Amino acid sequence: MRSTALSSLAVVAAIASALLSAAPASAETAAPGEGGWEPAAPTRPFDYPAGARCDFPVHTEPVVDEVVQKMLDRHPDGSASKIAFKGDLVIRVTNTDTGASYDADAGGSAIIDFHTDRSQLWHVVGPVLVGVGENNGNLPRGEYRIDGIYTLAISSTGYRTLNMFHGSTDDVCSRIG
């Protein structure tokens, strides 16, 4: 038991160290192209019908999007295999039936491994907004603000597996339902 706890702590320390040493602390201090950091593609708004994420229809839209990215490695064919992301990101999640909304801080730092089968492995420190469809993850269907130190594996079929080392999940549907 003690060995497992120590190895988990070592993994957490390694992830945190890699993410925190990869770049300056905020997107404002990293000019586009500086040190390989460039603006990431803008976060797109999404609309989900009732039952897809929450029991009611939901609209998500960025209200702050200052995310930058840095290519860390490529596959032999030149496609991305590892990219670091950081920067301020706030996404407004709205119950379109009632107009109730919640501004979710999703500005965590992540290193994402992109595999050739289109699966991904996210190594994250801080908050990220993650949607999970019915029977499509180890979390129940919902829209979650996940915060802490964790990994998120996304299979080639989209199945999401959260492995939380330290942190919390916040069910955004319950905030606006």
Side-chain angles (χ1 to χ4, degrees):
M1 178 78 166
R2 189 167 202 271
S3 172
T4 302
L6 288 175
S7 64
S8 293
L9 185 57
V11 169
V12 168
I15 292 171
S17 175
L19 290 171
L20 296 175
S21 67
S26 78
E28 293 175 12
T29 61
E34 179 184 321
W37 290 96
E38 298 180 354
T43 303
R44 299 183 332 219
F46 285 98
D47 289 291
Y48 299 101
R53 296 287 190 266
C54 305
D55 292 337
F56 42 84
V58 173
H59 175 75
T60 66
E61 183 172 357
V63 292
V64 174
D65 191 349
E66 298 174 1
V67 178
V68 293
Q69 65 183 18
K70 182 177 186 176
M71 179 70 64
L72 300 176
D73 200 7
R74 294 183 181 275
H75 292 288
D77 68 1
S79 63
S81 68
K82 188 179 299 276
I83 301 176
F85 293 90
K86 66 177 186 141
D88 293 338
L89 179 61
V90 177
I91 299 175
R92 180 164 293 146
V93 183
T94 303
N95 174 335
T96 58
D97 276 350
T98 66
S101 66
Y102 174 71
D103 289 350
D105 174 3
S109 296
I111 295 176
I112 302 177
D113 296 321
F114 296 90
H115 304 285
T116 56
D117 68 352
R118 301 182 55 111
S119 64
Q120 302 174 11
L121 180 60
W122 298 26
H123 308 269
V124 186
V125 174
V128 173
L129 190 67
V130 175
V132 179
E134 188 71 38
N135 299 315
N136 204 32
N138 65 341
L139 291 172
R141 172 182 59 95
E143 192 73 23
Y144 297 93
R145 181 181 173 274
I146 303 171
D147 195 3
I149 300 172
Y150 53 96
T151 60
L152 179 67
I154 303 175
S155 75
S156 58
T157 64
Y159 189 90
R160 289 145 167 77
T161 303
L162 174 66
N163 184 14
M164 182 71 72
F165 296 106
H166 177 76
S168 62
T169 59
D170 181 12
D171 178 8
V172 175
C173 295
S174 68
R175 289 183 171 273
I176 60 174

